[in-house]
Amino acid sequence: MAPALNSTSSILIVGAGTWGCSTALHLARRGYKNVTVLDPHPVPSPIAAGNDINKIMEHRESKDSETDPKSIAFTTCSRAALKGWKTDPVFQPYFHETGAIVSGHTPALIEHIKESEIDPSIGTFEKLETADEFRRTMPAGVLTGEFTGWKGWFNKTGAGWIHAKKAMFSAFTEAKRLGVTFVTGPPQGNTVSLVYENGDVIGAKTADGTIHRADHTILSAGAGSDRLLDFKKQLRPTAWTLCHIKMTPEEAKMYRNLPVLFNIAKGFFMEPDEDKHELKICDEHPGYCNFVADPEHGGETRSIPFAKHQIPLEAEARARDFLRDTMPHLATRPLAFARICWDADTPDRAFLIDRHPDHPSLLVAVGGSGNGAMQMPTIGGFISDALEGKLQKELKDVVRWRPETAVDRDWKDTQDRFGGPNKVMDFQKIGEDEWTRIEEGKSRL
């Protein structure tokens, strides 16, 4: 049995990323007085997936939203998140409800969208079937491409983008104001292990040798969580690739308040960042892993995250291919910034939020599976509910500890993602001379 939980209980959160900051905020709002958060980097961490100028935020109903338990759970979370983005003063300034376009460029991809991604009968979808119809969703001169074979659906409400980095820092600032203690930076915030006593987790040890004892520990370290606990193959650290193109101030104004344009096998872009006037482009693919023999797990091959502010040249080529289809006038612009972005996939891409079956004082809150940042305003509330033992049933059954789903797991499963070579790629196969060499801020128009 877990220790009793009350307002004076000591609660330790390992990880100050999107979910860690959200959880700290919600616990503080609920009156918990003794909450501490550890992270190896100051907030916002340079390796946190949520440390990004923008992320897609979209709540839409699919055909499975009322019948499939996983879809019901995700719809419940995204519906709550949308309300949070619109009404919570900590997050509301960072949500831009500009709409979002989901699209494909082959008959198979288009059929997949109709069958799995959307229900055009629910919501405010506008079908896009010609290049002119795509172009008319944005000001003249933005979409100059031919859109060969493309078809899409434009969702005008409940969708757009979030400034993830600013929102995460806002949550951190408010949690700190409400009394949460953040211990960040090396070595004092760098968790090297969980600490066990009598079979239970009683806190965490940091690189400076300090043992942070707590009545309850929440492990929410994103892709790094797999390094601190045996998840029975339920987590696969997976990375995606992003890059920025420098725009002029005049261009940045023209590109303001644009809908998100997402092709499920080519990539996506959102409006330029207002601070640096940089346009972010992501190439779409099933993800990269970093498969190495892990000495901490008997030489077992595992995907181990690492930080890098460059991307493989093949990823840059895919991003430019997306631009040639959509905005060819930008396709040869130099890159101003690039990085790899890690998340953790569960076998079924549902979140993993549950008390550990063997360590009752430990709650795991992981498995964003590519959809974690958009949940920022409210995911901490659901995590707090799980800590308090009152998570609603439609979520609890889906996000439970479920190692049976990872038996004989195929680490190279594409998990219903498309693009690139249509397979999971391995950073170990990218040579040293096959990465970009971008000097941040050195891009010139």
Side-chain angles (χ1 to χ4, degrees):
M1 295 291 293
L5 180 66
N6 55 56
S7 62
T8 61
S9 297
S10 55
I11 303 171
L12 181 68
I13 301 173
V14 179
T18 300
W19 286 19
C21 286
S22 179
T23 303
L25 173 62
H26 280 270
L27 288 173
R29 283 176 166 176
R30 293 187 185 192
Y32 291 97
K33 306 296 185 185
N34 192 2
V35 180
T36 301
V37 187
L38 304 176
D39 199 278
H41 301 279
V43 179
S45 165
I47 62 172
N51 185 0
D52 199 350
I53 59 172
N54 46 41
K55 296 282 191 187
I56 297 173
M57 169 60 216
E58 183 172 19
H59 170 66
R60 61 176 185 243
E61 307 286 342
S62 72
K63 293 180 180 180
D64 297 328
S65 294
E66 296 181 357
T67 57
D68 175 62
K70 189 176 75 170
S71 294
I72 293 169
F74 185 74
T75 300
T76 298
C77 288
S78 63
R79 187 183 293 122
L82 178 62
K83 182 179 179 181
W85 286 115
K86 286 186 170 185
T87 63
D88 190 325
V90 170
F91 300 101
Q92 187 273 333
Y94 310 109
F95 175 47
H96 303 259
E97 193 175 7
T98 57
I101 300 165
V102 59
S103 58
H105 62 284
T106 69
L109 292 169
I110 293 163
E111 188 62 28
H112 172 81
I113 293 170
K114 289 193 292 185
E115 290 298 320
S116 305
E117 297 285 337
I118 65 168
D119 186 342
S121 67
I122 303 175
T124 56
F125 289 100
E126 174 187 339
K127 192 171 184 180
L128 308 174
E129 298 192 281
T130 68
D132 282 342
E133 289 175 349
F134 275 95
R135 293 185 195 118
R136 283 198 293 267
T137 64
M138 302 188 192
V142 174
L143 298 180
T144 57
E146 294 300 320
F147 290 89
T148 303
W150 285 52
K151 293 188 187 300
W153 287 264
F154 185 7
N155 181 11
K156 296 182 180 181
T157 61
W161 63 276
I162 58 173
H163 199 301
K165 177 180 179 178
K166 289 182 178 180
M168 182 165 61
F169 193 77
S170 179
F172 157 75
T173 302
E174 179 64 5
K176 195 172 180 180
R177 187 187 73 81
L178 293 174
V180 174
T181 299
F182 285 83
V183 181
T184 63
Q188 67 274 8
N190 182 17
T191 298
V192 294
S193 66
L194 299 177
V195 179
Y196 299 84
E197 227 175 63
N198 300 319
D200 201 0
V201 171
I202 54 92
K205 181 179 179 180
T206 48
D208 63 351
T210 301
I211 293 178
H212 299 262
R213 298 183 69 93
D215 297 322
H216 300 267
T217 301
I218 300 173
L219 178 56
S220 184
S225 302
D226 190 52
R227 307 295 294 155
L228 298 170
L229 181 72
D230 182 2
F231 277 90
K232 309 295 183 184
K233 299 187 177 182
Q234 291 178 90
L235 290 189
R236 182 189 71 185
T238 311
W240 283 269
T241 40
L242 64 88
C243 55
H244 295 182
I245 288 175
K246 191 77 171 178
M247 310 289 279
T248 66
E250 294 73 26
E251 287 174 325
K253 290 179 182 178
M254 184 173 77
Y255 280 63
R256 189 166 294 160
N257 296 321
L258 302 184
V260 175
L261 176 57
F262 176 38
N263 180 305
I264 65 170
K266 288 266 189 174
F268 61 89
F269 85 96
M270 286 167 271
E271 69 178 71
D273 172 51
E274 62 185 358
D275 299 318
K276 292 187 176 182
H277 300 149
E278 291 181 0
L279 182 77
K280 179 180 120 178
I281 308 103
C282 289
D283 59 308
E284 186 65 17
H285 50 72
Y288 283 92
C289 288
N290 182 44
F291 290 120
V292 298
D294 185 359
E296 295 184 16
H297 291 82
E300 177 187 3
T301 297
R302 299 164 68 91
S303 178
I304 297 181
F306 64 98
K308 196 173 184 71
H309 280 200
Q310 304 290 340
I311 59 174
L313 293 175
E314 62 187 23
E316 179 186 357
R318 288 190 294 263
R320 295 191 184 282
D321 179 62
F322 169 74
L323 288 173
R324 281 192 291 271
D325 272 14
T326 58
M327 299 177 286
H329 58 288
L330 299 178
T332 59
R333 288 268 182 103
L335 301 185
F337 175 79
R339 80 175 179 109
I340 59 177
C341 178
W342 289 93
D343 203 347
D345 280 330
T346 61
D348 55 8
R349 291 183 63 188
F351 303 150
L352 176 52
I353 303 170
D354 199 3
R355 292 272 186 182
H356 193 284
D358 300 324
H359 314 303
S361 298
L362 175 66
L363 179 83
V364 296
V366 295
S369 301
N371 294 305
M374 62 182 271
Q375 310 294 337
M376 198 185 313
T378 47
I379 193 67
F382 292 124
I383 294 168
S384 298
D385 287 345
L387 187 72
E388 295 173 344
K390 61 181 186 183
L391 187 63
Q392 58 203 77
K393 189 176 188 305
E394 63 264 36
L395 286 179
K396 185 177 181 180
D397 292 346
V398 172
V399 303
R400 62 183 170 80
W401 180 266
R402 51 192 190 281
E404 71 278 3
T405 64
V407 175
D408 298 323
R409 183 174 186 180
D410 178 4
W411 291 117
K412 297 186 178 181
D413 182 7
T414 61
Q415 299 199 279
D416 208 24
R417 296 187 178 105
F418 305 92
N422 285 309
K423 66 179 183 180
V424 172
M425 295 162 283
D426 187 354
F427 283 130
Q428 289 294 310
K429 296 181 180 179
I430 307 297
E432 290 185 10
D433 60 346
E434 297 177 298
W435 292 82
T436 57
R437 284 176 167 76
I438 301 164
E439 293 184 59
E440 187 176 356
K442 294 295 181 69
S443 173
R444 294 291 181 266
L445 297 174

